[in-house]
Amino acid sequence: MSTTPVEQYLERLEDLLPAAEARRVLPEVREMILDRVDAEMEGAPDIDQAEAESRALASWDPPETLAGQLTTASLTIDVATRRAFVRTLLALFAGHLAFAIVLTGAGSAGTAIPGFLGPLPMQTFLATILGALSILCIDAGIVFLLFVLLGRSRSRLKLPYLDLKTHWTRRDGIQGLILTALLVLVFNMFLDTIFALREGDTLTPFLSDDLKALLPWLNVVLGIFAVRHLLTALGRSERVETHVVDALASLAAAVLAILAATRANLVTLPDGALGPDRTDILEDLMDRVFLVVFVVAALLLAVRFVKRALRTSRLLAARDPE
């Protein structure tokens, strides 16, 4: 979904400013920019609207700089940097924690990356909580170091930025409903046909019973996503409830991917003509492929959950007080 340069500028500025401050200053900023656009078009009648907007914005400060000038916060760290830091930290922590849970559920005894990535301690509940907090502290140090290194040039444009804006349309919602219905059909009726090996005229399913036992929960997750697509199709893409449902769906899907990744057995191949040794090698290889898919999906879905949760918080804060 394309937007004009002015709309992109104002969306970024709105995202950086506190909600109350955004409601106050955005209309004024919009009018001043449009006045400048009109002046550019009067001075050069042969240019189009997009070119006039680009020229007008060229004389303005970047949204990060303007947000820092407009905010009245007492902290010495500007608002754009604070928001970028918190969002980057939450995204990294969500992915890091998901990976640690996978290692814990898989029964890993050692650390994948010493000092950074390993299973959570499970001796006591307090030990598990402290393990999660230690991950948060490690991630905070990493993000802080990253911001220090990238901020040496004093350019906030180089800092990581987790964009929360969505541009879901009614068409996206309808397409999402159709895709969800197809996935439900595939996983419930054709699972053993698609994920199967052919031996002559016989199809032998190779997904393990442990993995197929998660199918009812997959239907629940797809059902939650279907509700989100339905709300989008009804024109409620930027409503709080739509983002809440999407956040719940993302969290549920991330948990399901973690459960799938921690199953003791993902693939069960028949001996067939390959022989037991070759079958074991192929089975191990396919296990690893499925494991990578589930882990990557869990990481991406955890980050998606963070984005939708932050967007929900943003929309709630932007509501006018009753």
Side-chain angles (χ1 to χ4, degrees):
M1 180 178 179
S2 60
T3 56
T4 65
V6 171
E7 289 174 343
Q8 293 175 3
Y9 183 96
L10 292 173
E11 283 182 359
R12 182 66 187 275
L13 181 61
E14 179 188 10
D15 194 47
L16 292 171
L17 287 171
E21 196 76 1
R23 290 197 303 268
R24 183 179 66 84
V25 304
L26 279 181
E28 299 178 8
V29 173
R30 181 189 297 273
E31 291 299 323
M32 288 188 289
I33 294 177
L34 293 180
D35 288 343
R36 182 63 182 172
V37 171
D38 291 338
E40 291 290 342
M41 298 190 71
E42 290 176 2
D46 57 327
I47 65 174
D48 58 15
Q49 180 73 19
E51 179 63 21
E53 291 186 6
S54 298
R55 293 186 182 184
L57 290 173
S59 62
W60 278 72
D61 289 328
E64 293 80 6
T65 302
L66 185 59
Q69 294 171 350
L70 292 175
T71 185
T72 56
S74 58
L75 295 176
T76 56
I77 302 176
D78 61 87
V79 63
T81 302
R82 294 203 309 274
R83 286 186 180 275
F85 180 88
V86 171
R87 292 177 183 181
T88 304
L89 173 59
L90 290 177
L92 178 61
F93 174 66
H96 194 169
L97 183 62
F99 215 132
I101 294 174
V102 169
L103 292 176
T104 305
S108 175
T111 58
I113 302 178
F116 176 70
L117 185 60
L120 292 170
M122 299 298 293
Q123 293 84 354
T124 63
F125 179 74
L126 179 59
T128 305
I129 295 298
L130 291 178
L133 289 177
S134 68
I135 291 177
L136 179 62
C137 292
I138 291 172
D139 292 343
I142 292 173
V143 176
F144 177 78
L145 180 60
L146 176 65
F147 272 57
V148 169
L149 294 176
L150 295 180
R152 287 182 180 275
S153 61
R154 299 182 181 275
S155 175
R156 288 182 293 272
L157 297 176
K158 295 182 179 180
L159 296 178
Y161 179 73
L162 190 66
D163 188 14
L164 305 184
K165 274 291 182 181
T166 56
H167 296 287
W168 297 326
T169 63
R170 291 176 183 267
R171 181 179 179 182
D172 295 330
I174 295 173
Q175 291 177 341
L177 284 172
I178 295 173
L179 178 60
T180 302
L182 290 175
L183 290 175
V184 171
L185 185 65
V186 166
F187 285 118
N188 287 274
M189 298 186 65
F190 302 104
L191 187 68
D192 288 339
T193 303
I194 295 175
F195 296 95
L197 295 178
R198 180 178 293 276
E199 294 180 296
D201 295 332
T202 305
L203 286 177
T204 305
F206 59 77
L207 293 182
S208 69
D209 292 337
D210 286 344
L211 198 55
K212 288 192 285 189
L214 298 176
L215 182 59
W217 297 109
L218 177 60
N219 290 328
V220 173
V221 171
L222 291 175
I224 301 175
F225 272 114
V227 173
R228 200 279 284 172
H229 294 313
L230 179 60
L231 291 172
T232 303
L234 294 175
R236 300 181 178 181
S237 60
E238 279 303 299
R239 299 287 292 272
V240 171
E241 58 268 24
T242 305
H243 288 273
V244 169
V245 172
D246 195 85
L248 291 175
S250 301
L251 179 60
V255 171
L256 186 64
I258 291 173
L259 289 175
T262 55
R263 298 300 89 184
N265 193 19
L266 300 178
V267 175
T268 303
L269 297 177
D271 290 340
L274 293 177
D277 293 337
R278 292 183 179 180
T279 298
D280 289 342
I281 293 174
L282 181 58
E283 189 174 289
D284 182 66
L285 178 61
M286 294 179 68
D287 267 340
R288 292 176 185 273
V289 171
F290 274 94
L291 180 61
V292 169
V293 171
F294 290 141
V295 170
V296 171
L299 297 180
L300 295 177
L301 288 164
V303 174
R304 180 188 177 100
F305 165 71
V306 169
K307 292 176 67 175
R308 296 287 76 79
L310 289 172
R311 184 60 181 162
T312 300
S313 175
R314 178 78 183 180
L315 291 174
L316 289 172
R319 283 182 171 179
D320 291 327
E322 298 180 357

